[in-house]
Amino acid sequence: MKMQTLAIVAAGLMATTVQAEPIQIIEPAVITEPEKVELGKKLFFEPRLSKSGFLSCNSCHNLSLGGVDALPTSIGHNWQEGPINSPTVLNAKYMLAQFWDGRAADLKEQAAGPIENPKEMALPHDVALEVLRTIPAYQDEFAAVFGDQGITMDTVTDAIAAFEETLVTPNSRFDQYLAGDKNAITEVELEGYELFKANACSACHNGPAVGGTSFQKMGLVKEYITDNPELGRYNVTGKESDKNVFKVPTLRNIELTYPYFHDGSVWDLTEAVKVMQEVQLGLPLSDEEAEKIAIFLKTLTGDQPQITLPILPPSNPNTPRPAPFK
Amino acid sequence: MKMQTLAIVAAGLMATTVQAEPIQIIEPAVITEPEKVELGKKLFFEPRLSKSGFLSCNSCHNLSLGGVDALPTSIGHNWQEGPINSPTVLNAKYMLAQFWDGRAADLKEQAAGPIENPKEMALPHDVALEVLRTIPAYQDEFAAVFGDQGITMDTVTDAIAAFEETLVTPNSRFDQYLAGDKNAITEVELEGYELFKANACSACHNGPAVGGTSFQKMGLVKEYITDNPELGRYNVTGKESDKNVFKVPTLRNIELTYPYFHDGSVWDLTEAVKVMQEVQLGLPLSDEEAEKIAIFLKTLTGDQPQITLPILPPSNPNTPRPAPFK
């Protein structure tokens, strides 16, 4: 009986190996609450959610730049140097948790953090809420979307998350390939994909976002040398074994989201593949093979969200004023 | 003969007083070179035209915020405090010159300044050009728009100016009123407009942009007290009589472009009207009248440009990297 069960499982695994792809197609966003999404978009671009009145979510998750700032680590209030590379907001809904260390369970929980983080937007939540509550257009929009729940951090982050849920990048050439169009990628790109699988990159970089499905140690087979002191998952769990463990980043739009890794130390994609091979896998990989994997990875660039820039309602005389230089 | 001439002039002035309005309707932008405008839009949102890779034209001329940053003075590279209030880019094409002191003749000349200004985007022009020249998509777009002129500061600023030319705000309620729809503004708003004219606000704030047609001394009848050391037009001409002379700002979208004046010292529109009355005109104006003028001024908010956020092409490994913290 036990042998029989094992045989069935083994057969199932073999079938999986033969047929299933480690990467799944992502679908275009289906917007069921357009007013909430529109409000969330305004808040995403709202610099008055920062102490300076100058920084918004879009400052570090720039939707013109693949949802990142394309800097090693971010610039925060008063030009403070951030501790870690800004992860892309694109396809972030597919992540098992948010932030590199996964300390936020979901997009909604994530959105509250940077607003009040003194190294990021540096605005206490109570002031952020007062800003929004003193602006009649926001009062009206929150009432329309959230009824008598009003303007709270709960509704603010709910709206931002609803907008971020729409930030997916379907229709990459690789998705077209997965959907059956075998001509959507070139022979070299396909070779790169085969190498990606054969070298176990897909052991961690899998699922619809080609990542974001697990936490893994950075430096699995060889220590990863970095000046960046961040300890990753250890911050959340306090477990020794979680030191240098980070959420596996998405590889979708990786062509746009340089520089790479949590420390933003590598700018070139082929070099990033080689570093991964060295510290995570330890498998032999020639320069040519690394190059082919990088070429494949560029097929993961999807349709970027088409965003009409929101027009933000003006402050009132009683709206708390920005304090950029205090 | 001389008497006769004077009589004709006087009759002409009376006719003007009776018939002509000091404010002209602005028309929607007519785009004749869409590819150039689209390229200019990319450059307007391009943070790689700054040393940090973080600041773009849109940082201080934010098209979500009426074309300004809504700060007293702007934030530049390394969080430096700018010397003067950021003027709106909206309807800037109607200005007789650019910058508060008019040191740039036109939008094209203006666009070159902030890129290399060490207190603003802080990127030498040669590096800015190298950034663009190393990005194939920009090479292609410049070739399509400018032929063999290539990527030069001349073509870069030409494209940015072409985009900025489109940033007009037609169809304000006051424009509808001027076009003949007498119900487009309320009775109080019309009273405000009559006060605006009767109190000679329109002596300087006139033309399609309701300003931008002349340079005037700030503190015409009474010294304007400010901590801001800027001397305005004197910077350009070196003439003693040009000290504290500034370009008259546009009043279109003034509801959105607080805080007011070149020093950004006043946040409330009614208060700004009172300050103007005091230092420029010296005419008696009650609080109620100032309030009515402010109410009228809010009818000048026009349709804001609908901007689809550009998707910027990725850097190449040989593209000069941003240096935010150096």
Side-chain angles (χ1 to χ4, degrees):
Chain A
M1 188 66 175
K2 203 175 176 185
M3 280 295 284
Q4 198 176 9
T5 309
L6 278 175
I8 292 167
V9 169
L13 279 174
M14 281 182 66
T16 304
T17 310
V18 172
Q19 291 174 352
E21 299 291 351
I23 299 174
Q24 279 88 57
I25 290 173
I26 51 174
E27 302 293 337
V30 177
I31 296 177
T32 54
E33 298 177 286
E35 283 188 319
K36 190 193 278 189
V37 169
E38 193 60 28
L39 174 56
K41 183 172 80 171
K42 284 184 180 158
L43 298 172
F44 188 87
F45 281 89
E46 181 53 88
R48 287 168 295 188
L49 293 181
S50 68
K51 183 182 178 189
S52 62
F54 192 63
L55 303 176
S56 69
C57 304
N58 193 65
S59 298
C60 298
H61 302 287
N62 191 332
L63 294 173
S64 290
L65 295 175
V68 299
D69 52 14
L71 299 174
T73 64
S74 295
I75 296 171
H77 182 76
N78 205 24
W79 214 262
Q80 287 173 92
E81 191 168 353
I84 205 158
N85 182 259
S86 172
T88 182
V89 68
L90 298 179
N91 307 303
K93 67 180 252 183
Y94 293 112
M95 307 288 104
L96 82 163
Q98 300 299 322
F99 295 115
W100 279 97
D101 59 11
R103 67 184 181 275
D106 52 28
L107 290 169
K108 186 177 164 183
E109 189 180 339
Q110 190 280 334
I115 293 172
E116 69 175 352
N117 186 327
K119 295 194 104 177
E120 300 188 44
M121 295 159 82
L123 192 69
H125 283 171
D126 59 339
V127 185
L129 293 174
E130 200 187 336
V131 165
L132 298 174
R133 286 171 181 157
T134 54
I135 297 174
Y138 275 129
Q139 291 168 6
D140 294 347
E141 283 193 59
F142 275 87
V145 173
F146 293 106
D148 54 13
Q149 286 182 73
I151 302 177
T152 67
M153 281 315 292
D154 194 57
T155 53
V156 166
T157 55
D158 192 22
I160 293 174
F163 171 61
E164 292 177 339
E165 294 264 346
T166 70
L167 302 176
V168 296
T169 61
N171 200 35
S172 71
R173 287 195 293 115
F174 190 71
D175 284 313
Q176 295 171 31
Y177 168 81
L178 286 180
D181 178 1
K182 298 303 169 197
N183 296 319
I185 64 174
T186 67
E187 207 165 305
V188 175
E189 288 164 347
L190 182 58
E191 279 179 55
Y193 177 49
E194 296 300 343
L195 286 163
F196 180 82
K197 291 191 286 190
N199 286 278
C201 307
S202 56
C204 298
H205 289 287
N206 53 40
V210 202
T213 57
S214 66
F215 298 101
Q216 299 291 341
K217 184 168 179 182
M218 181 69 167
L220 207 55
V221 301
K222 183 180 167 187
E223 190 188 359
Y224 178 68
I225 308 294
T226 177
D227 293 336
N228 189 301
E230 287 295 306
L231 291 175
R233 194 72 187 143
Y234 174 80
N235 294 344
V236 180
T237 66
K239 285 187 199 165
E240 197 63 26
S241 61
D242 277 341
K243 279 190 177 165
N244 305 314
V245 168
F246 296 91
K247 187 178 62 182
V248 176
T250 175
L251 295 182
R252 287 203 177 262
N253 309 295
I254 195 73
E255 176 184 19
L256 307 177
T257 61
Y258 55 85
Y260 304 115
F261 307 138
H262 69 279
D263 59 1
S265 60
V266 172
W267 290 77
D268 181 69
L269 189 52
T270 303
E271 190 189 334
V273 171
K274 286 186 202 167
V275 171
M276 283 284 95
Q277 180 275 328
E278 188 187 348
V279 303
Q280 299 303 96
L281 302 164
L283 299 169
L285 194 69
S286 70
D287 285 0
E288 195 198 1
E289 288 171 324
E291 179 73 30
K292 281 182 181 170
I293 292 176
I295 288 170
F296 150 65
L297 291 175
K298 291 183 183 178
T299 69
L300 293 169
T301 305
D303 290 347
Q304 302 296 295
Q306 291 293 298
I307 305 292
T308 303
L309 203 65
I311 304 302
L312 301 175
S315 291
N316 251 8
N318 64 337
T319 305
R321 292 178 191 161
F325 302 110
K326 280 175 196 157
Chain B
M1 190 64 177
K2 200 173 177 186
M3 280 295 284
Q4 199 178 7
T5 310
L6 277 175
I8 291 166
V9 169
L13 279 174
M14 282 183 67
T16 304
T17 310
V18 173
Q19 291 174 351
E21 298 290 351
I23 299 173
Q24 280 88 56
I25 291 173
I26 51 174
E27 302 293 336
V30 177
I31 297 176
T32 54
E33 297 178 286
E35 283 188 321
K36 189 192 278 188
V37 169
E38 193 61 28
L39 174 56
K41 183 172 79 171
K42 284 184 180 157
L43 299 172
F44 188 86
F45 282 90
E46 182 52 88
R48 287 167 295 188
L49 293 181
S50 68
K51 183 182 178 190
S52 61
F54 192 64
L55 303 176
S56 69
C57 303
N58 193 65
S59 298
C60 298
H61 302 288
N62 190 331
L63 294 172
S64 289
L65 295 175
V68 299
D69 52 15
L71 298 174
T73 63
S74 295
I75 296 171
H77 182 77
N78 204 24
W79 213 262
Q80 288 173 91
E81 189 168 355
I84 207 158
N85 182 258
S86 171
T88 182
V89 68
L90 298 179
N91 307 302
K93 67 180 250 184
Y94 293 112
M95 307 289 104
L96 81 161
Q98 300 299 322
F99 295 116
W100 279 96
D101 59 11
R103 67 184 181 274
D106 53 28
L107 290 169
K108 185 177 164 184
E109 189 180 339
Q110 189 280 334
I115 293 172
E116 69 174 351
N117 186 326
K119 296 193 102 175
E120 301 188 44
M121 295 160 82
L123 192 68
H125 283 172
D126 59 339
V127 186
L129 294 175
E130 199 187 336
V131 165
L132 299 174
R133 286 171 182 159
T134 54
I135 297 174
Y138 276 129
Q139 291 168 5
D140 295 346
E141 285 194 56
F142 274 86
V145 174
F146 293 106
D148 55 13
Q149 287 183 73
I151 302 177
T152 67
M153 281 315 292
D154 194 57
T155 53
V156 166
T157 56
D158 192 22
I160 293 174
F163 171 62
E164 292 177 339
E165 293 264 347
T166 70
L167 301 177
V168 296
T169 62
N171 201 35
S172 71
R173 288 196 293 114
F174 190 71
D175 284 313
Q176 295 171 30
Y177 168 81
L178 286 179
D181 178 1
K182 297 304 169 195
N183 295 320
I185 65 174
T186 67
E187 208 165 303
V188 175
E189 288 164 348
L190 183 58
E191 279 178 56
Y193 177 49
E194 296 299 342
L195 287 164
F196 180 82
K197 290 192 285 189
N199 287 277
C201 306
S202 56
C204 298
H205 289 287
N206 52 41
V210 202
T213 57
S214 65
F215 298 101
Q216 299 291 341
K217 183 170 181 181
M218 181 70 167
L220 205 55
V221 302
K222 184 180 166 186
E223 189 189 358
Y224 178 68
I225 309 294
T226 178
D227 292 336
N228 188 300
E230 287 294 307
L231 291 174
R233 194 73 187 141
Y234 173 80
N235 295 343
V236 180
T237 66
K239 285 187 198 165
E240 197 63 26
S241 60
D242 276 340
K243 278 190 176 166
N244 304 314
V245 168
F246 296 91
K247 187 178 62 181
V248 175
T250 176
L251 295 182
R252 288 203 177 262
N253 310 295
I254 194 74
E255 176 184 19
L256 307 176
T257 61
Y258 54 85
Y260 304 114
F261 307 138
H262 70 278
D263 59 1
S265 60
V266 173
W267 291 76
D268 181 71
L269 188 52
T270 303
E271 191 189 333
V273 171
K274 286 186 201 168
V275 171
M276 282 285 97
Q277 179 275 327
E278 189 186 347
V279 304
Q280 299 303 95
L281 301 165
L283 299 169
L285 194 69
S286 70
D287 284 1
E288 194 197 2
E289 289 171 324
E291 178 72 31
K292 282 181 181 170
I293 292 175
I295 287 170
F296 150 65
L297 291 175
K298 292 183 183 178
T299 69
L300 294 168
T301 305
D303 291 346
Q304 302 296 295
Q306 292 292 298
I307 304 292
T308 303
L309 204 64
I311 304 302
L312 302 175
S315 292
N316 251 6
N318 63 338
T319 304
R321 292 177 191 162
F325 302 111
K326 280 175 198 159

